[in-house]
Amino acid sequence: MAGRPVLRGLVTEGLRFRVVDAKGQVVGRLASQIAKVLTGKDKPTYLPHVDGGDAVVVVNAAQVDFTGRKWDQKLYRWHTGYPGGLKERTARDQLAREPEAVLQKAVMGMLPKNNMRRAMARKLRIFAGPEHGLEGKVELVPLDMPPRALRVKGPVLELEEGFEPFNPEAYYKRFGHRLAAAKAGQ
Amino acid sequence: MTRVKRGNIAHKRRKEVLDLTKGFRGSSSKLYRTAQQRTIKALTNSYKDRKIKKREFVKIWVSRINAAVRLSGLNYSNFQNQLKTSKILLNRKICSQIALQDKESFDKLLDFIKI
């Protein structure tokens, strides 16, 4: 969300700016962490009725990622107000048209829905590219994403030569990806 | 029977209610009948909210402890678990105050329970 000037609408006195690079990050997980920082929930001075969060600057927002098939399956929907005016657009299209909106919508959905929501959202500045206009203007502190705890998957049931899976549908549904990845790795 | 004029008895009764409605909007602080309804609501709410206030503060303390503890690599649930197993009886209010005002002691507390 690049306005000109970038810091429009913000009182920078006492505000801490955090930078994060969205390249390769998963949208929802990044948005969750950003929302936490915006609300101030990472500080021991948290108060629910006061906006004590930091400002967040996101770069490379056009290079976020979705897991699974969401690029094709996830739909952004909106209604124009006219009858029959329900419109939709896939995540891929949304990224092409307005890349900042993908992360913006995600973060907005994760902020508390109260009177402070807009003020918090104003502290979020998203840039599709690698540049933000803030060098030298404010002090920037990196926002570190917490380590991602991936599920430890069980062992793949490998079949010896000559044996066919008893239930091929279930077998390939469960192990298909990992077998293909192992084969590609070899 | 001698004639009895009611005097200012009714006025005193109504004034007691109207004194409770200082600062209320519009006719709720001026007219007795609306004021009566507003005071009943207000007193009920204040009764309920005295109890809710205690819950609200616990929520704030928990959020604060969670934030403070995550700076040291823990999270709130594990912190509480280790606190209980170490038989430390500090409550959330005190823990959040220590985390806020005396970081050294809070770090020592974390070291103590991590063992």
Side-chain angles (χ1 to χ4, degrees):
Chain A
M1 202 166 78
R4 289 186 186 254
V6 175
L7 294 176
R8 178 179 59 186
L10 285 183
V11 179
T12 42
E13 186 70 47
L15 190 61
R16 187 164 69 152
F17 279 76
R18 313 274 289 263
V19 204
V20 67
D21 187 346
K23 184 170 179 179
Q25 299 274 1
V26 179
V27 172
R29 292 182 188 267
L30 178 61
S32 172
Q33 190 60 25
I34 292 174
K36 219 176 177 188
V37 170
L38 288 175
T39 50
K41 279 203 153 178
D42 57 340
K43 298 184 179 173
T45 48
Y46 168 73
L47 275 176
H49 59 82
V50 151
D51 183 11
D54 298 329
V56 176
V57 175
V58 185
V59 290
N60 288 322
Q63 292 173 314
V64 288
D65 198 14
F66 277 114
T67 53
R69 292 183 216 150
K70 286 179 213 165
W71 285 115
D72 296 315
Q73 289 184 342
K74 180 176 176 64
L75 293 171
Y76 290 97
R77 290 194 161 109
W78 68 99
H79 200 281
T80 56
Y82 289 93
L86 185 65
K87 294 199 171 184
E88 57 186 33
R89 186 189 280 168
T90 61
R92 200 184 294 277
D93 294 338
Q94 183 67 48
L95 192 75
R97 278 179 190 258
E98 194 188 339
E100 298 94 347
V102 172
L103 198 55
Q104 177 75 15
K105 284 179 192 279
V107 174
M108 285 299 277
M110 298 190 187
L111 291 175
K113 319 291 183 291
N114 58 19
N115 289 341
M116 294 197 305
R117 188 166 175 240
R118 296 211 179 174
M120 291 182 196
R122 223 170 285 140
K123 293 184 302 187
L124 174 64
R125 302 290 155 127
I126 302 180
F127 298 93
E131 294 298 320
H132 52 78
L134 293 171
E135 287 92 350
K137 284 190 197 162
V138 284
E139 192 191 317
L140 296 169
V141 175
L143 187 160
D144 300 315
M145 287 288 291
R148 174 113 179 257
L150 289 166
R151 180 169 65 96
V152 176
K153 297 186 180 175
V156 177
L157 181 65
E158 290 195 8
L159 295 175
E160 294 171 31
E161 291 300 319
F163 282 91
E164 289 297 317
F166 196 71
N167 184 350
E169 198 182 311
Y171 180 77
Y172 289 114
K173 185 176 178 187
R174 188 166 170 196
F175 297 121
H177 284 144
R178 294 164 73 188
L179 288 171
K183 243 186 184 173
Q186 281 166 3
Chain B
M1 270 295 293
T2 44
R3 177 170 177 257
V4 177
K5 298 203 313 187
R6 289 185 296 171
N8 60 357
I9 301 296
H11 174 77
K12 288 190 216 168
R13 176 174 59 84
R14 292 183 196 127
K15 186 160 169 30
E16 209 176 306
V17 167
L18 285 168
D19 284 342
L20 292 171
T21 63
K22 299 281 187 226
F24 284 21
R25 205 183 213 197
S27 62
S28 305
S29 56
K30 305 283 176 288
L31 304 181
Y32 172 74
R33 284 158 78 176
T34 7
Q36 171 80 311
Q37 292 170 355
R38 293 291 115 228
T39 49
I40 293 172
K41 197 115 206 170
L43 292 171
T44 323
N45 284 338
S46 82
Y47 174 80
K48 272 192 324 195
D49 291 334
R50 277 193 291 279
K51 298 166 188 315
I52 292 175
K53 183 167 57 171
K54 298 162 185 32
R55 305 179 212 160
E56 290 287 327
F57 271 109
V58 172
K59 285 200 282 187
I60 294 174
W61 298 328
V62 167
S63 294
R64 287 186 163 184
I65 295 172
N66 206 349
V69 156
R70 275 172 200 260
L71 294 170
S72 306
L74 268 183
N75 58 21
Y76 174 80
S77 60
N78 289 334
F79 169 75
Q80 284 294 101
N81 184 32
Q82 286 171 356
L83 209 61
K84 301 303 177 222
T85 53
S86 309
K87 301 249 167 87
I88 295 180
L89 300 174
L90 289 174
N91 59 14
R92 290 155 187 79
K93 173 174 162 188
I94 299 300
C95 285
S96 71
Q97 287 296 97
I98 298 174
L100 207 52
Q101 292 175 355
D102 193 356
K103 291 234 161 48
E104 278 183 25
S105 306
F106 194 68
D107 293 334
K108 284 187 193 157
L109 174 68
L110 289 178
D111 291 332
F112 184 81
I113 62 176
K114 267 181 198 170
I115 301 167

